[in-house]
Amino acid sequence: MAGARTILVAGAGPPRSHPHEARPGPGVPTVVPVEPNPARHAIARASGADAVPAPSGDIADRIRDIAPEGIDVVIMAIGRPEALTPYLGILAPGARVSVFAGFNSEAALRFVANDIHDNEYKIVGASSCRLENLQRLAPMIDSGRLVVKDLIGTQLPLERAADAIRLAASGSDTRVGVDVRARQSTSPTSTSTRPTTPPWPRFATP
């Protein structure tokens, strides 16, 4: 993402890559996550997003107002091809599209071939994290430049799996986990269980 002026993140849920927290460089003045769930807007703003619009029929015009020179990078952090469609007409020359989220087996992205040819778009996939990526991120986390606290969501014991599903559906938590090894707290007011050691196995829901 080095050299990009505008980064758009389609989706601000758990899979987001937080480019608004770890600015790739001084040439990135604008980072805009587009997120339909209002409960996640405050989290994105607190993480440093410049604007957090919700999808709408005029979203392309709204993004064009924010980034009149076009979008340099689109990160697809939601597994729906139609989440990219509104921005195809406002990509900057040489724009990069990172297909980051997982999709169902029949999902297909559609581009006009000459748009890719004439504008020299780059379409890349990103499905995992390599050791060198972790080595690069570690100093950012250690220094506080990259804030990851909000990525650590609520963990509930197996007995409260139904509560975990309801909490995940509400969108008020970025990630909800069901810890099959945790035990229900004896406190009637307890809402979560956060083990001091990473549980295994743990089933997380978006």
Side-chain angles (χ1 to χ4, degrees):
M1 294 187 289
R5 294 161 299 181
T6 303
I7 297 174
L8 185 142
V9 185
R16 71 194 186 283
S17 53
H18 283 270
H20 44 295
E21 291 182 347
R23 302 280 177 167
V28 184
T30 306
V31 180
V32 182
V34 178
E35 169 57 48
N37 191 330
R40 291 173 175 163
H41 287 200
I43 296 173
R45 290 191 187 96
S47 298
D50 295 285
V52 192
S56 63
D58 64 346
I59 187 63
D61 293 332
R62 294 162 62 196
I63 297 299
R64 190 180 285 108
D65 289 339
I66 297 171
E69 296 183 0
I71 304 169
D72 297 298
V73 175
V74 176
I75 298 174
M76 295 191 65
I78 184 169
R80 295 203 304 268
E82 63 271 22
L84 174 66
T85 304
Y87 316 116
L88 293 178
I90 56 174
L91 296 177
R96 285 156 283 177
V97 177
S98 175
V99 183
F100 176 68
F103 297 80
N104 67 49
S105 60
E106 297 180 355
L109 293 175
R110 292 180 172 84
F111 292 82
V112 175
N114 275 337
D115 285 349
I116 300 175
H117 173 271
D118 296 342
N119 295 292
E120 298 183 348
Y121 294 154
K122 301 174 181 66
I123 304 169
V124 300
S127 63
S128 188
C129 188
R130 298 182 176 87
L131 176 59
E132 55 265 32
N133 301 134
L134 297 175
Q135 291 171 333
R136 182 179 178 185
L137 289 173
M140 296 183 187
I141 297 172
D142 188 53
S143 67
R145 180 185 172 196
L146 180 62
V147 180
V148 296
K149 182 172 64 174
D150 68 306
L151 289 176
I152 304 173
T154 302
Q155 295 181 27
L156 298 174
L158 184 59
E159 293 85 350
R160 298 191 58 192
D163 291 335
I165 293 172
R166 283 190 288 269
L167 181 58
S170 74
S172 60
D173 199 324
T174 55
R175 186 171 292 276
V176 181
V178 175
D179 182 358
V180 299
R181 295 177 58 185
R183 293 292 180 265
Q184 175 70 54
S185 170
T186 56
S187 170
T189 59
S190 174
T191 59
S192 66
T193 301
R194 294 179 180 273
T196 56
T197 57
W200 183 264
R202 183 178 68 190
F203 301 93
T205 58

